[in-house]
Amino acid sequence: MQRRHVLGACALLLATGWLAGCASPHYLQLDPKRTARVPQSGSGQAVTVTAVDGRDSEVIGTRTGSAMSTAVITVNAHELVPRLQAEAERAVREMGFTPTTARAEGRPSLTLTLDHLGYERGESRPLIDEARLEAVLIAEAINAGNTYAGTYTSRRTQSYAMRPDKKANTRMVNELLSDGLDRAFRDPELGRLLAR
């Protein structure tokens, strides 16, 4: 009899821990990296490079897919923007330009904006759930009164039997943003306008 009470108490503790784990928020610390080669177009010209967060909210979704869930997934702008800045500067340098954060009259500029980052629940099937992720980056090059703006969208659908933990979510969102950076800086029109 006493053993049954102990087993029942253990089961209750496990269930409580599991539910608490499901309801806990995730704060993702990201470090996306561009891996694609960039087109060469510069010859050392200075380019003002700026990365900004254009999202409406730092919450990108919830782990359960329910809008009312407390299990939110958050990506803080003050942590992510410096990493996007570093990747944008690295890309501009590899294009053949000299990146700077200082603004100057008449100097070409490139602004990288994180316009959207979303994490939603996809289709549910027996024993399998799905997460749908989307990132939208906008790169705007300005030079001598001319502007070129490109929008680059990355999407990923991930099936799972057990809800992804913080480490898995961090990896998925990093890969999503890395793909977005690759798409943006592979665009030859950015470098062409900056080099005019």
Side-chain angles (χ1 to χ4, degrees), residues 4-129:
R4 191 181 311 161
H5 285 305
V6 170
L7 288 174
C10 287
L12 182 63
L13 282 171
L14 282 171
T16 304
W18 181 78
L19 287 171
C22 288
S24 64
H26 281 178
Y27 295 91
L28 306 185
Q29 293 176 305
L30 304 176
D31 192 17
K33 297 290 184 188
R34 176 188 52 82
T35 57
R37 292 174 63 87
V38 297
Q40 292 286 313
S41 46
S43 53
Q45 307 98 307
V47 172
T48 300
V49 179
T50 310
V52 296
D53 185 2
R55 297 174 296 159
D56 295 330
S57 170
E58 293 184 331
V59 174
I60 66 171
T62 65
R63 295 174 62 202
T64 61
S66 166
M68 301 302 290
S69 173
T70 58
V72 295
I73 303 171
T74 302
V75 174
N76 291 319
H78 71 272
E79 293 177 347
L80 180 57
V81 169
R83 286 164 173 77
L84 294 178
Q85 177 76 28
E87 285 302 295
E89 289 180 18
R90 183 167 70 93
V92 166
R93 189 176 296 109
E94 289 177 15
M95 286 179 185
F97 301 99
T98 302
T100 178
T101 55
R103 296 193 172 276
E105 189 72 33
R107 177 182 292 155
S109 68
L110 176 74
T111 303
L112 180 69
T113 303
L114 176 59
D115 190 60
H116 173 71
L117 186 58
Y119 185 112
E120 298 175 354
R121 188 172 185 178
E123 294 180 18
S124 290
R125 299 182 296 277
L127 304 177
I128 298 290
D129 278 326

Side-chain angles (χ1 to χ4, degrees), residues 129-150:
D129 278 326
E130 197 175 78
R132 290 186 180 164
L133 292 80
E134 182 180 78
V136 180
L137 292 169
I138 299 172
E140 183 182 60
I142 300 174
N143 190 9
N146 298 302
T147 301
Y148 173 79

